[in-house]
Amino acid sequence: MPGVADVLTDVSLEITAADREDLGAAAVALAPGTSVAITHLSTQTGDEHLAAARAVADLGLTAIPHLAARRLSTADELASTLSAHEDQGTSERVMVVGGDPREPHGPYSEAAQVIESGLLAAHGVREVGIAGYPDGHPAIPSEELHRLLVRKLDAIAADGMDARIVTQFCFDVDVVLAWVAGVRAAGIDVPIRVGVPGPAGVRRLVSFARRCGVRSSATLARKYGFSVTSLVGSAGPDRFLEGFADGLDAGVHGDVRVHLFALGGLDAAAGWLARHPATA
């Protein structure tokens, strides 16, 4: 049975473009080549996002820029964004998400349309990350989520690219493990990264959970290691990862790794990783 150090082997990290200034100090806690995804917030420009990806690569880490479908105004904007990443060597791996705007800014209303555009492979993309939702989605029924997942995986394979599923975080380890087992039972064998929040203030964790449609009942909060009634203090992923390691079965769950969201800041996430080294 694996332990926490085992499941942190090949851990990946998710940051924002605003974390670029802290990358140098945090990189000492990361193994060379560590995958670092850069989410594209509405408050950050395309140039800032591009510069953050370049900063990640300059530190010997693997940049994974996010492409937010509903934030793209035109197909030309998608092509120029990919071209800019290709020029600076950060286009081989991307994460394609729907994005947070309620209404699309242009022709893409969902991630599948970006993947099906043919532009990713044309600009050197070799691996595409797509989202998984163990807790479900507040606006999309479970059956539709599965149909979209299969559609995206088929489109990725049709263009000769590899796929990886990165899940939204969830406070219930049993739900996550059951979701992964269900994906495998459906015949999907691509690598999965289970999203886990890094150390963060309780108020911030609950705020992100509500924004993303993640359940945060009092029972789940206690199970994860915090209280939703006081909203004080902070919580880390230790208890979740212990349960995850205990329940993980390679024969059932396949290739599963951890993806750490730096919700409490890059310094906190890197510090936690430094205190919890993975197995070699």
Side-chain angles (χ1 to χ4, degrees), residues 16 224 241:
T16 74
Y224 190 83
L241 289 174

Side-chain angles (χ1 to χ4, degrees), residues 63-272:
I64 305 178
H66 279 211
L67 300 172
R70 286 189 290 275
R71 199 172 294 135
L72 294 163
S73 299
T74 63
D76 285 344
E77 182 183 355
L78 172 58
S80 63
T81 298
L82 288 165
S83 180
H85 279 290
E86 187 176 21
D87 289 345
Q88 69 174 17
T90 57
S91 71
E92 287 196 1
R93 297 175 65 188
V94 300
M95 177 81 184
V96 184
V97 298
D100 49 11
R102 289 183 178 273
E103 297 295 329
H105 295 177
Y108 307 113
S109 61
E110 57 189 18
Q113 294 167 331
V114 171
I115 297 168
E116 291 166 348
S117 71
L119 290 170
L120 302 185
H123 287 278
V125 176
R126 297 172 59 186
E127 180 185 282
V128 181
I130 57 177
Y133 300 92
D135 237 353
H137 190 286
I140 305 174
S142 296
E143 296 79 7
E144 179 68 2
L145 280 176
H146 181 75
R147 187 188 71 79
L148 286 170
L149 180 68
V150 173
R151 175 183 167 187
K152 287 181 279 191
L153 290 171
D154 286 348
I156 292 167
D159 274 351
M161 299 178 293
D162 294 327
R164 186 179 300 274
I165 299 170
V166 182
T167 75
Q168 179 57 272
F169 71 85
C170 174
F171 294 129
D172 192 333
V173 68
D174 294 327
V175 167
V176 173
L177 288 168
W179 182 87
V180 175
V183 169
R184 299 309 190 203
I188 297 171
D189 60 0
V190 303
I192 294 175
R193 288 191 177 272
V194 168
V196 181
V202 171
R203 187 179 298 276
R204 187 169 180 82
L205 279 175
V206 172
S207 174
F208 269 94
R210 288 172 178 164
R211 189 184 313 172
C212 300
V214 175
R215 291 178 299 144
S216 57
S217 68
T219 300
L220 288 178
R222 286 196 300 271
K223 186 175 182 179
Y224 190 83
F226 66 89
S227 168
V228 296
T229 56
S230 64
L231 298 183
V232 297
S234 61
D238 302 72
R239 188 178 298 185
F240 179 95
L241 289 174
E242 287 169 3
F244 180 66
D246 286 345
L248 197 61
D249 181 339
V252 173
H253 301 107
D255 183 357
V256 184
R257 308 298 170 97
V258 170
H259 183 72
L260 197 69
F261 291 96
L263 298 186
L266 180 56
D267 286 346
W272 186 89

